[in-house]
Amino acid sequence: MPFHTSGQSPALAQRLRIELEEQFGPEYKAWLDYLGEAREKLQPQKLDPQERKRLLHELASKKGFDAFRREHKRATSSD
């Protein structure tokens, strides 16, 4: 069953957000920015909605994060 508070407990949602921020490092902020940009670029394209969803889920996967981190490290080390 998917987890969400659905507005039933904003206090729990806030506590979980804080715990996640402590658990995940700053590289997740850069990845989230990247995912947002990818989503913005994919939205106006004439893609099948299921294909768009598949691509976004692929980018948001562990494998996608590992690829992002490698590219991000390469790009920042060449500065």
Side-chain angles (χ1 to χ4, degrees), residues 32-47:
L32 182 59
D33 291 343
Y34 167 77
L35 292 173
E37 290 170 11
R39 184 173 183 265
E40 285 181 20
K41 288 177 183 176
L42 285 172
Q43 289 296 358
Q45 293 183 19
K46 294 180 180 173
L47 291 174

Side-chain angles (χ1 to χ4, degrees), residues 51-62:
E51 177 63 10
R52 181 182 298 113
K53 181 178 179 179
R54 186 193 68 73
L55 288 169
L56 291 170
H57 278 259
E58 187 177 308
L59 290 173
S61 69
K62 168 101 171 78

